[in-house]
Amino acid sequence: MSSTLFQLPDELILATLNQTFPCREAQIRALATLLYPGAAPCRNLVIYGTEATGKSDITAALLAKLADQPDDQDFSLGHVIVNSAECITARHLYETVVGKVAGALAWDAAPSRCETVSQLTVELVKMLKYSPRPDGFRFVLVFDAIDRQRDAPHTLVPALARLSEMIPRLTTIFIVTSPPPHFLLTSSVPHLDFPAYTKPDFVTILSASPPPALPNTSPQETSDLWARFTAAVHDALARAASRTLPSFRHACTVLWPRFTAPIHAGTHSAREFSKLLIAARVHFQDERLLDPGVLAVPPTSTTTTTTTTTTTKANAGAGAALATLLPTTPRLLLLASYLASHNATKHDLTLFSTHHHGRRRRRGGGGGSSIGRRPRSKHRKIARKLLGAHAFVLERMLAIFAAVRGEWEVRHHYRHHNNHGNNHGNGDGDDREEVGDADIGMAIATLASLRLLVRVGGGATGDLMDC
């Protein structure tokens, strides 16, 4: 064996993985250091991060590269990856581990039944500790998504972490989303974080595989346009609908043909990015193209069965379609917020109060005399509607919501009664949602999460909201 105390795997392996998984160089090198037998192998390792950050793929690819090294190397590595989310019970997990380890080591004896962690430990000790192995051999056991294991006892993960204490050649990896404090009930456990991708990371990853060249455009111009296009898609949709890499790649794939349609038509060139973005603005604002299974595109034509005529809706507005995506209560709350932000407080009593007010007398003299009147101010104020939306108190919006809801209930009840009488024989009555005592706080929280309502401050008088 070599007398080298610390030795990393071949740099060609790390370079290949860095090219396959860009923006993860630090995680790949740290993972190789903690797993390679010649470097600094650890007993237990916790890999954590949000969804679709490359935890499982990078771990599997690195272990496969390290296991495929030539036989003349001083160190050898074996590995098994167990997807815990596919195991129904803890017993299913134990037997899956034993079966996969026996298959990876070419174990001759048939694996026995494992119903407890103790039986799992006995089987792994027989295969990994007491069987003859080379001096530089090490085995890696990966539990992927162990935090989603079904019917798992609370002592399962700490018990699995004790396996490496009884088997010196074993390294156990736990891949989770967010590990709680004292996850393994043991000290000195390294944790490797896979953070979420940032905007430069998204652009770099997708720029590595640009689409085919556009008509009358060179491959370099297409690559430059693709990079600017992915940055625009990230700014428009990443926070709302495309937070992960697969969803972001799907959004770019769906929007790219619509974005480059003017180039195929010959009306714009690839260098006119601003004009292309303005032409495709409506597609960037419509999230129905990203997930048609959840937000279905409404039909463009409606056929009436009682007559022979067909009504076609050719140019339906996008606002009407988006209004149907919200339930009735959040829709009325959004309407009340719009009224509260675009109307002065002094008009609330006149517009929304149900109490009858008599005609007010004008103060001052009558007729054409100008005696007693105040002189007009020379300063002209800007119209309120030109200043945009204004902040309003939450209690004021709820009061307007109560008035609007009462008027909507009366009209909806009258319309529902007429439709039920006309369609009683056909069974085509209106089944719209009735507005009752709904969870107003949950609806306001939903509108705030969609950035339709924005909290701009707070105080003793109430929460200030902006629409």
Side-chain angles (χ1 to χ4, degrees):
M1 293 183 58
S2 176
S3 59
T4 305
L5 297 178
F6 184 85
Q7 179 183 352
L8 284 174
D10 191 0
E11 287 294 333
L12 182 60
I13 297 177
L14 301 181
T16 304
L17 292 176
N18 292 335
Q19 186 177 3
T20 307
F21 302 97
C23 305
R24 284 290 183 255
E25 291 82 359
Q27 286 76 15
I28 292 174
R29 186 167 292 274
L31 191 59
T33 304
L34 296 174
L35 297 182
Y36 189 61
C42 59
R43 292 183 176 180
N44 297 304
L45 175 62
V46 177
I47 301 176
Y48 67 97
T50 56
E51 181 185 358
T53 52
K55 306 183 297 295
S56 303
D57 294 340
I58 292 177
T59 303
L62 178 60
L63 290 175
K65 291 289 185 180
L66 297 179
D68 292 340
Q69 286 187 327
D71 296 335
D72 56 353
Q73 295 288 335
D74 297 333
F75 306 101
S76 60
L77 184 71
H79 72 282
V80 160
I81 300 177
V82 180
N83 192 352
S84 303
E86 298 177 355
C87 300
I88 302 175
T89 59
R91 174 185 173 182
H92 188 194
L93 176 67
Y94 304 149
E95 295 185 352
T96 302
V97 171
V98 173
K100 288 192 174 184
V101 172
L105 298 176
W107 190 254
D108 297 334
S112 59
R113 299 176 57 184
C114 292
E115 298 183 358
T116 61
V117 181
S118 301
Q119 295 177 353
L120 173 65
T121 305
V122 171
E123 295 296 328
L124 293 181
V125 166
K126 288 192 301 184
M127 291 185 287
L128 295 174
K129 185 176 182 180
Y130 295 124
S131 60
R133 300 292 174 187
D135 294 337
F137 175 78
R138 195 165 189 86
F139 195 86
V140 180
L141 180 58
V142 182
F143 291 96
D144 191 5
I146 190 63
D147 52 345
R148 292 187 292 172
Q149 173 63 44
R150 304 176 185 177
D151 298 335
H154 64 280
T155 57
L156 173 63
V157 177
L160 295 177
R162 297 292 299 274
L163 293 175
S164 58
E165 298 180 5
M166 292 172 280
I167 306 174
R169 299 174 178 174
L170 179 65
T171 296
T172 309
I173 299 179
F174 303 93
I175 300 179
V176 296
T177 302
S178 178
H182 306 289
F183 180 50
L184 304 181
L185 299 182
T186 182
S187 60
S188 303
V189 177
H191 288 61
L192 185 58
D193 179 24
F194 279 70
Y197 290 108
T198 60
K199 178 182 177 179
D201 296 339
F202 279 124
V203 176
T204 302
I205 293 173
L206 292 187
S207 298
S209 56
L214 298 171
N216 301 324
T217 305
S218 63
Q220 183 62 35
E221 292 178 349
T222 303
S223 300
D224 297 341
L225 181 63
W226 172 257
R228 300 183 65 181
F229 166 75
T230 53
V233 173
H234 182 275
D235 294 338
L237 300 174
R239 292 186 177 181
S242 302
R243 299 182 180 181
T244 62
L245 181 59
S247 60
F248 181 71
R249 181 181 285 111
H250 173 68
C252 294
T253 304
V254 172
L255 293 175
W256 177 251
R258 295 171 172 82
F259 179 77
T260 58
I263 300 179
H264 290 276
T267 57
H268 297 80
S269 63
R271 298 181 179 180
E272 298 175 335
F273 178 77
S274 301
K275 294 182 179 180
L276 293 172
L277 189 61
I278 293 175
R281 179 176 54 187
V282 63
H283 301 301
F284 283 85
Q285 297 174 349
D286 192 0
E287 298 179 3
R288 295 175 298 174
L289 299 173
L290 305 181
D291 196 355
V294 176
L295 304 179
V297 179
T300 58
S301 61
T302 303
T303 304
T304 307
T305 57
T306 56
T307 61
T308 59
T309 60
T310 303
T311 305
T312 303
K313 301 177 182 179
N315 297 319
L322 291 176
T324 59
L325 301 179
L326 290 175
T328 305
T329 301
R331 210 184 314 168
L332 294 178
L333 284 171
L334 194 60
L335 175 61
S337 303
Y338 180 83
L339 295 175
S341 61
H342 287 79
N343 290 279
T345 309
K346 60 183 179 180
H347 299 313
D348 290 349
L349 190 63
T350 305
L351 297 176
F352 307 111
S353 177
T354 58
H355 181 70
H356 175 71
H357 299 275
R359 297 183 62 183
R360 297 180 180 179
R361 289 186 176 182
R362 289 187 177 183
R363 296 182 180 180
S369 175
S370 60
I371 301 176
R373 295 183 182 179
R374 296 181 181 179
R376 291 186 178 182
S377 176
K378 297 182 180 180
H379 177 67
R380 299 182 62 183
K381 296 182 178 180
I382 302 176
R384 183 182 178 89
K385 62 181 180 180
L386 300 178
L387 298 177
H390 295 259
F392 54 88
V393 183
L394 181 62
E395 286 76 5
R396 176 169 172 251
M397 185 266 287
L398 293 178
I400 297 176
F401 167 74
V404 173
R405 183 180 64 175
E407 183 178 354
W408 188 90
E409 286 179 347
V410 173
R411 294 186 178 182
H412 174 67
H413 177 73
Y414 177 75
R415 188 188 308 113
H416 178 74
H417 178 73
N418 292 340
N419 291 339
H420 181 72
N422 296 333
N423 303 324
H424 180 72
N426 299 331
D428 297 332
D430 192 1
D431 295 332
R432 293 189 179 182
E433 177 188 359
E434 293 289 344
V435 179
D437 295 332
D439 191 355
I440 307 300
M442 183 64 70
I444 294 177
T446 302
L447 295 175
S449 64
L450 296 175
R451 304 292 295 175
L452 297 176
L453 290 178
V454 181
R455 180 174 179 176
V456 297
T461 58
D463 295 334
L464 293 178
M465 303 292 292
D466 191 8
C467 180

